[in-house]
């Protein structure tokens, strides 16, 4: 699709403040947000996946709460769904903003992944040619660890465990949740009595720190593969980070 609208991409590790910043940019540019998060597509996983839907305010968002737990959703599914959402946003004259931390999903769009077999839901391979600019958030290791710890404690207080317990009561199979990885694997192990509460909280916190580190490793790999990421200086305050993006554009 030919357009003068550049796709704005905002990526970063977990707890780096992507959503709040994406919402600010969307407010400034009459934009809509397309989520690049592999688990926020699933309904009823609100606290555990950190959807923070209240942060969006009146800003429209896409690829959140679009599937039921257990429904198939691969990189190919994401690529098609995001491709359609971005085209839809552009067609309506709005600014598309892709925001998330799932590097593989983001790369599948920006690098126009081609699969060995055309997915069954496509008649022919996608040809993705969006003009784009990528921004990255990369808090210092100490700040990242502090934010992760604080956010995990907040989610536990908000009822993250209770949310999962209710899903089990509603008939969601434990393995469907364990398959989602990270928080869900640890929560199921705790709920089923395989680990103590202390093991659960300390182990999960460590696992999230390790996950954030892997996210950054993937983003660096994307850079080496030729995707330019404009890293926003972490020394800037929130408003200055917003201005950094707007001035760059």
């Amino acid at each position: 699709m030919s357009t003068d609208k550049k796709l704005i991409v905002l990526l970063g590790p977990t707890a780096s403040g992507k959503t709040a910043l994406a919402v600010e940019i969307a407010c400034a540019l009459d934009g809509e947000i397309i989520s690049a998060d592999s688990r926020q597509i699933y309904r009823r996983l609100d606290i555990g996946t950190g959807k923070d839907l209240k942060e969006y305010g009146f800003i429209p968002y896409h690829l959140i709460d679009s599937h039921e737990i257990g429904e198939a959703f691969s990189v190919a599914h994401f690529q098609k769904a995001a491709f359609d959402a971005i085209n839809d946003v552009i067609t309506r004259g709005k600014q598309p903003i892709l925001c998330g931390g799932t590097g593989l999903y983001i790369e599948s769009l920006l690098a126009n992944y081609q699969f060995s077999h055309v997915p069954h839901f496509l008649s022919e391979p996608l040809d993705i040619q969006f003009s784009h600019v990528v921004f990255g958030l990369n808090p210092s290791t100490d700040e990242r660890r502090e934010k992760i710890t604080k956010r995990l404690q907040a989610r536990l207080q908000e009822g993250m465990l209770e949310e999962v317990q209710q899903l089990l009561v509603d008939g969601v199979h434990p393995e469907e949740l364990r398959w989602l990885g990270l928080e869900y694997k640890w929560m199921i192990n705790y709920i089923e009595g395989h680990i103590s509460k202390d093991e659960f909280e300390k182990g999960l916190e460590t696992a999230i720190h390790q996950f954030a580190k892997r996210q950054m490793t993937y983003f660096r790999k994307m850079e080496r593969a030729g995707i330019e990421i404009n890293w926003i200086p972490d020394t800037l305050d929130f408003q200055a980070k917003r201005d950094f993006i707007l001035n760059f554009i």
Side-chain angles (χ1 to χ4, degrees):
M1 169 174 285
S2 174
T3 176
D4 58 353
K5 291 276 187 190
K6 266 192 178 182
L7 171 65
I8 296 172
V9 182
L10 181 60
L11 55 76
T14 188
S16 56
K18 298 182 295 293
T19 301
L21 188 54
V23 168
E24 278 290 306
I25 300 304
C27 288
L29 299 178
D30 191 18
E32 299 188 12
I33 296 171
I34 297 94
S35 171
D37 186 293
S38 61
R39 300 181 305 172
Q40 290 189 3
I41 59 158
Y42 295 113
R43 301 182 189 106
R44 299 185 289 165
L45 303 180
D46 298 333
I47 303 172
T49 64
K51 287 176 185 168
D52 302 324
L53 296 179
K54 286 184 285 190
E55 279 197 62
Y56 289 90
F58 62 87
I59 298 298
Y61 54 82
H62 306 263
L63 305 195
I64 294 177
D65 288 342
S66 56
H67 289 65
E68 290 296 341
I69 299 167
E71 278 188 66
F73 196 81
S74 64
V75 177
H77 286 95
F78 169 80
Q79 190 191 54
K80 175 66 165 69
F83 178 77
D84 288 346
I86 293 166
N87 276 326
D88 171 55
V89 172
I90 290 173
T91 299
R92 290 185 284 103
K94 306 292 186 179
Q95 172 64 58
I97 301 164
L98 183 70
C99 175
T102 304
L104 182 62
Y105 280 13
I106 296 169
E107 190 176 37
S108 76
L109 269 177
L110 304 188
N112 190 18
Y113 273 15
Q114 297 298 309
F115 303 97
S116 54
H117 296 94
V118 177
H120 67 86
F121 47 84
L122 293 176
S123 57
E124 59 185 15
L126 293 176
D127 182 22
I128 303 171
Q129 299 292 338
F130 295 117
S131 177
H132 61 265
V133 58
V134 185
F135 298 95
L137 288 169
N138 181 17
S140 68
T141 303
D142 287 344
E143 184 184 357
R144 189 174 76 203
R145 293 181 70 85
E146 183 183 339
K147 285 182 175 179
I148 286 172
T149 298
K150 190 178 294 184
R151 191 169 73 162
L152 175 58
Q153 290 305 315
R155 287 182 181 176
L156 287 169
Q157 290 171 9
E158 288 165 15
M160 185 167 77
L161 273 167
E162 291 78 4
E163 182 177 77
V164 167
Q165 288 169 326
Q166 186 59 52
L167 290 170
L168 296 172
V169 169
D170 292 343
V172 176
H173 196 281
E175 288 308 310
E176 288 183 319
L177 292 170
R178 190 178 270 115
W179 175 83
L180 292 165
L182 206 56
E183 297 95 344
Y184 294 94
K185 180 179 72 174
W186 285 89
M187 284 191 281
I188 293 298
N189 284 343
Y190 170 62
I191 290 168
E192 291 184 340
H194 302 305
I195 54 176
S196 68
K197 186 170 186 184
D198 189 55
E199 288 172 323
F200 159 65
E201 292 189 0
K202 289 181 178 174
L204 175 54
E205 184 177 338
T206 298
I208 296 173
H209 290 312
Q210 292 169 341
F211 172 66
K213 190 175 178 181
R214 290 196 302 274
Q215 285 178 297
M216 287 307 305
T217 299
Y218 197 96
F219 299 146
R220 299 301 188 190
K221 182 185 84 70
M222 287 168 57
E223 285 188 295
R224 291 194 299 273
I227 293 173
E228 182 182 355
I229 301 175
N230 300 285
W231 294 101
I232 302 169
D234 191 48
T235 51
L236 300 179
D237 64 20
F238 182 79
Q239 198 65 32
K241 287 176 180 176
R242 168 191 178 274
D243 293 342
F244 178 93
I245 294 175
L246 295 177
N247 291 336
F248 191 101
I249 293 168

